[in-house]
Amino acid sequence: MPEAMVAARASEATNGTAQQVDVAVVGAGFAGLYLLHRLAKAGFTTVALEEADDVGGTWYWNRYPGARCDIQTIDYSYTFDPELERAWQWSEKYATQPEILRYLGFVADRYDLRRHIRFGTKVSAATWDEAAERWLLTTDNGAAVSCRYYIMATGCLSSPKPPEIDGVKDFNGEVYFTSRWPHEGVDLAGKRVAVIGTGSSGIQSIPMIAEQAAHLTVFQRTPNFALPAHNGPRPNDRLSLLDGDRAGYREQARWSMTGVPYPQQTAVSWQLSDAERRERFEQAWAAGDLVHVLTQLWADQGVDVDGNALVSKLIHEKIRAVVKDPDTAEALTPRDHPFGAKRPCLDTNYYATYNRPNVTLVNLRQEPIKEITTSGITTDKRSFDLDVIVFATGFDAMTGAIKAVHPITGRHGKSLSDVWSHGPQTYLGLTVAEFPNLFMITGPGSPSVLSNMAVSIEQHIDWVVDRLIALREAGFTTIEATETAQAGWAQHMADCATVTLHRLANTWYTGANVPGKAQGVMPYTGGVGPYRSICNEIVSRGMLGFRLTGPDVAEQCNDGEVVRLQPDVRLVLGMLADMNLPPIESLGAQGARDFLDEFNKGRPAGRPVGEIVDGTLPGNDGPLPYRLYRPATPGPHPIVVYFHGGGWVLGDEQSDDPFCRDMCRRSGMIFVSVGYRHAPWHRFPTAAEDGFAATRWIAEHVAELGGAPGPVLVAGWSAGGNIAAVTCQLARDRGGPEIAGQLLLNPVTDCAFDRPSYADNATGYFLTRSLMYWFWDLYCSPGDRTDPRVSPLRGKLEGLPPAFVVTSEFDPLRDEGIAYAEALAAAGVPVEQLNARGHFHCSFTMVDVIITGVSGRVRMAEALRRFAGLGDEAAVPIAVAAE
Ligand code: N01
């Protein structure tokens, strides 16, 4: 009975002497084989325990018709040995399951790995022996294993999910699982066959089964995106890149986001015309490469619902173009999840298969399966007589195979299944606190299934085995993640997941496919290259987050969280560091202005707004330029007077262009960015007085500017936040204008430099302490600095307009912003505060690159709308082009 294949087998107690090794490995697939090779080379005694009777892992079990890899085979290969790469030539762009299995057998033989493997042996339980500092693994076949280190190389998709449909046992015909396909093959000729499930396994097998069966009925619950593989010989373009510089090609893959060497796409969807987008899409479609389509169209396709909807729409068109029956085409069109949020598939003739007369699609959303009967499948509406049912219903992914060894008992008798009852908790997806000396290869919390597995497996194994060697050399015998590090990793995982769209789909990535399973995005979504750099950083910071002990050495525990920045902030700061820019303050004031102008030219334009008008307004000593951003929605709109950042020295009315556009769109308000005069040419109090004069003029000319009648609002970032805050005080003291609210983003509020944030964030977060000193020196003499027109914290705060104050954790200005918000509140001013965790001074104005800034800007826009009496819901739902 097929269920036997998916149910855990009873384990037999093992008597006798345990086999003693340094390292026990579970699994002999891609990961297990490379582990054995590295461990043996490093001089560790080792054994691998493998349930199957041969090597291959997932490629041993998944023998269904049409099974192939869907990452190009030249990328889906080991890269650790250039000799191996020369010795093995793939025959196709996407190799078949038998060829991949032969490759893994070839690797096992070439490196003489079979001698380390006990086949037909399932690990039934694992227990940490506190006194001996060793793991004891019991098995269902032969001696138990006692080991210092225990490594799970069990794969992410190896524990099949039960069918969850009543009546399977009653069916009189044949039942197969794609994930446990008989080795001898199945003759489907002339038979009435059902396939349940349209994930990758279903989509690969359905066209092949349709060719053999008398009739095929496909039972689809959720349509999936499938792209044509265009399989054939290995493509020359990729091959010549590889052959031209093999080492460079492999290295690029290791540092890429997906483990396949494609560059980071920088153009965002709204910078491209419809024709340009279509051209990119058609090229990608013709390339027949999943990673290409997932990463190379436009930069926002995987992180922004609008950028993503454009891709979905183009794929929908393709489905309609192939599938002749419109109802069937519609049923096959995925509409419930963003493209890529659920694992898309690579197909050969999948959609065209539904044009065959012997194929029927049953849409289970319209007629759910009631039961499986002796003769077939019954839905809410009809019955299907069948000879064969094929379940392509997927896996208990990521955690299933690990928890299948049960119990895994760590310190204090705790079982891993209990510890993970609310979802997997890991450090790096590699280790678990309180489970010393246990490692998982591509475990939950690592890039794993969101990456080219071959690259991720090699990275994990190299990291683990290098650590084991280092531990041995230093005399340590245990290694264990700390709770702090593990909690920090969970936070970082959650931060990464908010950037991508994976959270918007019910998939096996989130555990949603298994009834009752705890849900959450399980793979690390931050990318292969960033993950690698984090692993390396942990080593360079003295095994941060690990406790190491040994009999003859002092315990070492360098506790902490490896990533406290938001993931995109970390990437941006890393890129800025790599650029090795000179300190801005070393360039001189004019040099710094010129530098910033050049820098801004390289940034993509912000999103379109209804209208942009450049003009001038009369200031105190002559005209001041301004730039007005008008929403595309029908007006009139309230006006926000905006002051740009730049330490009173840098920038102009256009330099915060992406931020102004974004806020204009989100708030549904006019933004007027004012070009106040700059230091050192115009020192204190020019900027403050210009800001006030501009606000008064704008308030007096609201109608002329097309604004809604009523008071204006003010907003500003950094020194601009300072000017906005000062303007509110001056307006109160000088008889107007009336200001409805103030948005202060990372504002300068005080001349004191002794708050902790100045020391904590003195260097490394772009706005440095020395840069702030320089700004202050250029703008304001020490004797003037306590004047409320530059240190508004020292002014009278009663009677000011309501405020929304944003501060960022990694910003020297953080504490003075918090102090200002607290002082406003104490003075009776309605004030809301956003202390942005993991952000730096530029997080919210780098609209195009810091995606995690979106939620903060949403809150800023809501606050502005509340101040203006517009209600706090987002103003403009960003339009998705209708089909
Ligand atoms: O499994 P899946 P898979 N009643 O979970 C449906 C990798 N892989 O084996 O979406 C009715 O994706 C389920 O419906 P829904 C690859 O990473 C790679 O196909 O839950 N239907 C879904 O349609 C892939 O993503 C290759 O509503 C039920 C399907 O069954 C992963 O493995 C090849 C059901 C399961 O799809 C898993 O793929 C194959 C029920 N009770 C796999 N339960 C390569 O090409 C489930 N379904 C390398």
Side-chain angles (χ1 to χ4, degrees):
M1 185 64 206
E3 281 103 312
M5 300 171 190
V6 295
R9 272 194 257 154
S11 58
E12 295 161 19
T14 306
N15 299 317
T17 318
Q19 182 182 0
Q20 302 285 328
V21 290
D22 296 328
V23 188
V25 173
V26 184
F30 247 105
L33 292 179
Y34 181 48
L35 254 174
L36 290 177
H37 173 62
R38 280 277 344 244
L39 289 167
K41 246 179 102 175
F44 292 103
T45 55
T46 183
V47 65
L49 304 163
E50 168 57 60
E51 187 180 357
D53 57 17
D54 201 352
V55 299
T58 196
W59 298 106
Y60 173 92
W61 298 105
N62 287 270
R63 298 170 185 241
Y64 58 85
R68 291 176 184 276
C69 61
D70 60 5
I71 300 269
Q72 291 200 28
T73 346
I74 59 167
D75 298 306
Y76 188 67
S77 307
Y78 291 116
T79 67
F80 64 87
D81 180 357
E83 290 298 318
L84 171 64
E85 294 201 52
R86 270 187 282 278
W88 182 271
Q89 296 296 317
W90 294 105
S91 66
E92 285 181 280
K93 179 178 171 187
Y94 297 108
T96 58
Q97 174 271 333
E99 186 174 9
I100 300 173
L101 193 57
R102 278 201 303 281
Y103 171 70
L104 293 171
F106 175 79
V107 170
D109 293 336
R110 183 181 173 92
Y111 300 99
D112 194 15
L113 303 177
R114 289 180 200 274
R115 68 197 161 99
H116 304 295
I117 306 173
R118 281 169 53 186
F119 291 109
T121 305
K122 185 175 159 72
V123 179
S124 39
T127 307
W128 173 248
D129 181 336
E130 203 91 58
E133 293 185 339
R134 293 177 75 86
W135 283 95
L136 183 70
L137 274 52
T138 48
T139 76
D140 68 349
N141 181 14
V145 175
S146 165
C147 54
R148 173 78 60 206
Y149 300 104
Y150 158 36
I151 308 183
M152 294 291 272
T154 37
C156 297
L157 293 154
S158 33
S159 184
K161 191 177 80 100
E164 301 145 9
I165 300 172
D166 290 343
V168 186
K169 281 197 184 109
D170 302 330
F171 183 56
N172 285 336
E174 302 159 55
V175 172
Y176 301 103
F177 285 73
T178 49
S179 53
R180 292 292 182 272
W181 202 256
H183 289 198
E184 61 283 8
V186 180
D187 182 10
L188 297 172
K191 294 185 178 157
R192 296 162 301 171
V193 181
V195 173
I196 302 177
T198 51
S200 299
S201 305
I203 282 175
Q204 284 187 334
S205 59
I206 283 166
M208 307 288 282
I209 294 174
E211 282 175 14
Q212 301 167 34
H215 195 91
L216 168 64
T217 310
V218 177
F219 291 83
Q220 171 196 271
R221 192 161 63 183
T222 311
N224 212 337
F225 288 97
L227 318 168
H230 299 307
N231 195 27
R234 295 171 301 163
N236 284 332
D237 56 341
R238 305 297 299 169
L239 208 51
S240 56
L241 279 177
L242 177 65
D243 289 342
D245 175 10
R246 187 168 292 268
Y249 183 96
R250 296 301 189 205
E251 198 57 10
Q252 196 191 339
R254 292 180 188 121
W255 290 99
S256 67
M257 290 303 276
T258 57
V260 178
Y262 279 115
Q264 188 73 21
Q265 187 50 242
T266 52
V268 283
S269 58
W270 68 86
Q271 293 175 285
L272 304 167
S273 66
D274 282 353
E276 286 169 329
R277 284 198 298 266
R278 185 169 289 276
E279 189 185 337
R280 283 178 178 225
F281 174 75
E282 292 295 348
Q283 272 176 11
W285 195 258
D289 184 320
L290 205 52
V291 182
H292 186 145
V293 181
L294 280 167
T295 63
Q296 299 298 296
L297 297 178
W298 35 89
D300 51 330
Q301 68 181 94
V303 293
D304 178 88
V305 280
D306 300 321
N308 188 281
L310 294 163
V311 190
S312 300
K313 190 178 157 222
L314 289 163
I315 300 177
H316 293 173
E317 277 180 26
K318 291 285 185 195
I319 298 170
R320 281 198 296 269
V322 175
V323 181
K324 290 187 182 139
D325 173 49
D327 290 341
T328 307
E330 180 52 32
L332 287 166
T333 301
R335 297 192 188 276
D336 75 328
H337 63 276
F339 171 65
K342 186 171 185 145
R343 173 68 149 72
C345 313
L346 213 55
D347 79 279
T348 300
N349 297 329
Y350 176 63
Y351 291 116
T353 296
Y354 292 94
N355 295 333
R356 294 174 66 106
N358 71 331
V359 175
T360 306
L361 177 69
V362 177
N363 182 351
L364 297 181
R365 297 287 175 202
Q366 288 175 357
E367 46 175 319
I369 295 178
K370 262 172 62 185
E371 60 179 345
I372 294 176
T373 62
T374 49
S375 60
I377 295 178
T378 304
T379 70
D380 268 5
K381 294 188 177 158
R382 43 193 168 152
S383 291
F384 298 85
D385 286 337
L386 300 163
D387 303 309
V388 179
I389 299 177
V390 175
F391 287 98
T393 40
F395 300 87
D396 180 358
M398 310 223 47
T399 53
I402 296 171
K403 285 162 87 172
V405 174
H406 183 73
I408 297 176
T409 309
R411 281 199 201 283
H412 317 302
K414 279 193 183 165
S415 125
L416 189 67
S417 300
D418 290 344
V419 171
W420 283 8
S421 58
H422 300 296
Q425 301 295 318
T426 71
Y427 186 32
L428 301 171
L430 272 166
T431 59
V432 186
E434 303 216 72
F435 291 81
N437 293 8
L438 166 66
F439 293 95
M440 296 163 298
I441 304 303
T442 64
S446 76
S448 57
V449 290
L450 294 177
S451 70
N452 174 0
M453 275 300 209
V455 168
S456 285
I457 282 171
E458 286 191 342
Q459 185 271 340
H460 260 191
I461 289 171
D462 288 340
W463 195 91
V464 170
V465 178
D466 289 347
R467 300 290 69 72
L468 297 191
I469 294 169
L471 294 178
R472 183 174 62 187
E473 284 169 2
F476 291 115
T477 47
T478 74
I479 174 171
E480 184 183 346
T482 68
E483 295 284 357
T484 311
Q486 187 163 286
W489 190 249
Q491 182 64 64
H492 176 56
M493 288 272 296
D495 289 342
C496 290
T498 60
V499 178
T500 71
L501 303 178
H502 290 105
R503 66 190 187 287
L504 302 181
N506 289 330
T507 71
W508 58 258
Y509 290 147
T510 63
N513 68 326
V514 176
K517 187 168 175 173
Q519 293 196 30
V521 179
M522 290 186 287
Y524 176 73
T525 56
V528 168
Y531 178 84
R532 178 180 291 267
S533 85
I534 290 168
C535 289
N536 293 352
E537 185 182 329
I538 283 167
V539 178
S540 68
R541 291 172 70 185
M543 292 304 286
L544 181 70
F546 284 104
R547 179 173 292 106
L548 313 178
T549 67
D552 305 317
V553 284
E555 177 179 306
Q556 177 190 315
C557 182
N558 188 7
D559 204 1
E561 299 161 50
V562 62
V563 186
R564 292 180 53 215
L565 291 166
Q566 290 293 332
D568 41 7
V569 170
R570 185 174 189 275
L571 288 183
V572 166
L573 289 172
M575 270 156 45
L576 288 170
D578 290 347
M579 288 160 85
N580 231 344
L581 301 171
I584 291 176
E585 59 272 33
S586 71
L587 301 173
Q590 190 56 50
R593 289 187 62 81
D594 296 344
F595 169 80
L596 191 73
D597 284 350
E598 274 309 304
F599 191 81
N600 281 344
K601 275 185 205 154
R603 290 170 63 186
R607 289 198 178 201
V609 294
E611 184 188 26
I612 290 183
V613 181
D614 288 325
T616 54
L617 55 84
N620 282 332
D621 297 315
L624 297 176
Y626 70 80
R627 172 167 276 201
L628 180 147
Y629 302 84
R630 195 185 311 284
T633 49
H637 312 88
I639 294 184
V640 180
V641 183
Y642 177 75
F643 303 106
H644 66 82
W648 306 285
V649 175
L650 307 177
D652 56 33
E653 72 283 1
Q654 300 185 19
S655 54
D656 291 349
D657 190 75
F659 179 70
C660 289
R661 286 170 185 259
D662 190 81
M663 290 302 294
C664 165
R665 287 168 62 91
R666 287 183 195 282
S667 64
M669 294 162 124
I670 293 172
F671 264 60
V672 182
S673 175
V674 175
Y676 56 86
R677 287 171 295 167
H678 295 102
W681 303 277
H682 302 281
R683 288 167 58 84
F684 171 82
T686 307
E689 293 295 346
D690 280 359
F692 173 67
T695 306
R696 190 168 53 193
W697 185 88
I698 291 167
E700 287 165 359
H701 295 81
V702 162
E704 197 179 305
L705 294 167
V712 297
L713 299 91
V714 295
W717 169 48
S718 192
N722 175 267
I723 296 169
V726 170
T727 295
C728 291
Q729 295 192 11
L730 295 180
R732 178 201 55 198
D733 298 342
R734 294 178 182 176
E738 192 187 339
I739 296 175
Q742 48 180 329
L743 166 64
L744 309 180
L745 171 55
N746 299 327
V748 180
T749 70
D750 192 33
C751 57
F753 303 119
D754 54 0
R755 293 187 174 87
S757 58
Y758 255 96
D760 296 348
N761 308 302
T763 59
Y765 303 105
F766 192 71
L767 178 65
T768 60
R769 178 167 53 188
S770 88
L771 182 56
M772 273 314 294
Y773 287 167
W774 185 69
F775 284 145
W776 272 98
D777 288 344
L778 290 188
Y779 181 53
C780 196
S781 306
D784 291 329
R785 290 187 185 178
T786 53
D787 189 313
R789 285 176 300 167
V790 71
S791 292
L793 184 59
R794 299 185 186 233
K796 182 186 151 206
L797 302 180
E798 286 76 12
L800 290 174
F804 189 74
V805 182
V806 181
T807 56
S808 296
E809 184 180 3
F810 295 95
D811 182 1
L813 306 185
R814 178 192 69 207
D815 293 344
E816 65 193 82
I818 292 172
Y820 196 62
E822 289 172 354
L824 285 173
V829 176
V831 58
E832 292 167 66
Q833 233 187 306
L834 167 60
N835 299 322
R837 186 180 50 75
H839 282 288
F840 80 131
H841 190 67
C842 311
S843 281
F844 297 102
T845 50
M846 293 186 97
V847 172
D848 38 331
V849 280
I850 307 288
I851 293 154
T852 50
V854 168
S855 59
R857 287 197 302 279
V858 167
R859 288 189 55 191
M860 292 179 220
E862 287 169 353
L864 288 173
R865 288 177 64 79
R866 270 199 305 281
F867 296 156
L870 296 180
D872 64 1
E873 69 283 0
V876 203
I878 295 169
V880 176
E883 283 176 43

